[in-house]
Amino acid sequence: MLKPDQPNSYFCAMAWPRLYHTPAIVQQAFAGLTWRKPDNSGRVYLTFDDGPSPEVTPWLLETLAAYRAKATFFCVGANAERYPALLQQITDQGHQLGNHTQHHMAGWHVAPETYLADANRAAEAIPSSLFRPPYGQLTPRLARALRSSGYEVIMWEVLSYDFDQQVDTAKALQKCLTGTRAGSIVVFHDHPKALPQLRAILPSYLQQLHEKGYTFV
């Protein structure tokens, strides 16, 4: 079995102090990954990781519908298999799916072939070429393997920290608002532990950006 690359080669938001906005130097250093989308028409790319979840997904879909917002749900394969009706609701309401591995696998701790097999297993339930690595953990070798397998690796420009139950939600909301621009890819989470923070952040985030003329895709 191949040994995994050393875990110091790629950006991982979990290893930094709270960085609500990915620094430009990081985006430039790892230009083979998608951090944002070129956009001059006021579109913001909403994403939700880890679902689907019966505790959270229905509320998210209702909230997004209220603001006529579309999003990409980066789903864990095991959850997609467990809740196929929720997965269907996501696509029925016009949202997009992305792959978040079968078992929410950390890329720094496994060999590339093991990780890629896990991603491909998730692809059986999640028909998408979009891929987001759990925890943001990748190595250059693993990123090359994913791209060679036809995946577009989607990172982020704005991270909400809704997964952190100790986060100051008012500060997080303000940081997300100030960090978002046309073309930003923004991360929230479709996970029960994020729900209290989501309720405090997401509606106000959508409302304030909607009032500024942004659309969510």
Side-chain angles (χ1 to χ4, degrees), residues 88-149:
Q88 190 64 50
Q89 286 180 37
I90 290 170
T91 57
D92 284 350
Q93 295 190 28
H95 303 289
Q96 191 170 29
L97 298 176
N99 187 325
H100 203 45
T101 74
Q102 180 70 14
H103 299 105
H104 206 263
M105 189 166 283
W108 288 352
H109 305 293
V110 296
E113 71 271 19
T114 302
Y115 189 94
L116 190 59
D118 198 72
N120 289 338
R121 168 71 190 284
E124 295 175 12
I126 304 164
S128 177
S129 63
L130 303 179
F131 181 85
R132 172 168 290 150
Y135 314 107
Q137 289 189 10
L138 281 182
T139 64
R141 187 173 164 201
L142 182 50
R144 288 193 298 270
L146 288 163
R147 291 198 299 269
S148 294
S149 297

Side-chain angles (χ1 to χ4, degrees), residues 36-45 181-184 212-215 217:
R36 56 174 284 104
K37 291 285 189 179
D39 196 295
N40 295 317
S41 58
R43 289 176 293 191
V44 173
Y45 295 82
R181 54 181 172 155
S184 288
K212 294 179 178 179
Y214 286 97
T215 56
V217 297

Side-chain angles (χ1 to χ4, degrees), residues 15 23 33 50-51 76 80 82 91 94 107 141 145 156 188 192-193:
L33 312 180
D50 297 349
V76 173
R82 189 175 297 119
T91 57
R141 187 173 164 201
W156 59 83
F188 294 93
K193 73 176 182 181

Side-chain angles (χ1 to χ4, degrees), residues 146-166:
L146 288 163
R147 291 198 299 269
S148 294
S149 297
Y151 293 106
E152 180 183 358
V153 181
I154 308 294
M155 301 299 275
W156 59 83
E157 187 167 61
V158 178
L159 181 63
S160 66
Y161 285 92
D162 58 343
F163 57 83
D164 185 349
Q165 294 172 316
Q166 304 303 314

Side-chain angles (χ1 to χ4, degrees), residues 168-196:
D168 180 334
T169 54
K171 178 180 179 180
L173 170 61
Q174 203 55 45
K175 290 285 189 180
C176 288
L177 289 169
T178 57
T180 299
R181 54 181 172 155
S184 288
I185 298 172
V186 185
V187 180
F188 294 93
H189 289 79
D190 183 0
H191 191 285
K193 73 176 182 181
L195 185 56

